[in-house]
Amino acid sequence: MNKKIQEENLDFLFQAILKLESVEECYAFFEDVCTFQELRAISQRLKVAKLLTEKHVYNNIVEKTGASTATISRVNRALNFGNDGYKLVLERLEQYDGAFTE
């Protein structure tokens, strides 16, 4: 865990997210909490991470996601030097039912 970003409000947010039990509940909560653009940016980063772990090249990722090369680079840096959060989530998504397909 990155202690630099840890704070009480974030802990409260993450505990709230862990209480959600379905995709429908996630939609309800996140539509209230975030703007469409914020949700789009987060989901785009996750898709970029998935494509990077599948060894797609930047041009292909830009085409598939609309992400900028700066965003792709930031996600790539997190995959290589971050806290393995993307890797953890992507591995868990694979374990279920291919819930994150193209």
Side-chain angles (χ1 to χ4, degrees):
M1 176 173 33
N2 187 343
K3 296 286 187 187
K4 289 187 265 183
I5 70 162
Q6 187 177 8
E7 67 177 34
E8 185 178 341
N9 288 341
L10 282 175
D11 287 350
F12 186 66
L13 171 63
F14 297 150
Q15 289 299 323
I17 292 168
L18 290 170
K19 300 298 181 194
L20 300 170
E21 296 180 359
S22 68
V23 171
E24 291 79 18
E25 288 183 3
C26 288
Y27 269 103
F29 178 72
F30 283 101
E31 284 180 35
D32 284 351
V33 172
C34 300
T35 66
F36 174 73
Q37 289 301 331
E38 290 166 335
L39 288 172
R40 185 173 176 269
I42 293 166
S43 65
Q44 183 185 65
R45 289 180 198 135
L46 184 57
K47 181 68 174 192
V48 167
K50 180 181 186 297
L51 294 172
L52 284 169
T53 60
E54 293 172 350
K55 307 298 184 204
H56 288 257
V57 296
Y58 276 36
N59 289 342
N60 184 259
I61 296 171
V62 168
E63 183 179 306
K64 287 181 178 267
T65 66
S68 69
T69 56
T71 295
I72 297 167
S73 293
R74 183 178 330 114
V75 171
N76 194 42
R77 189 169 40 254
L79 284 169
N80 291 311
F81 304 108
N83 295 305
D84 292 333
Y86 282 119
K87 291 175 186 174
L88 175 70
V89 168
L90 292 171
E91 286 171 3
R92 289 187 181 169
L93 283 169
E94 277 184 20
Q95 290 173 3
Y96 289 97
D97 57 0
F100 202 74
T101 58
E102 295 193 37

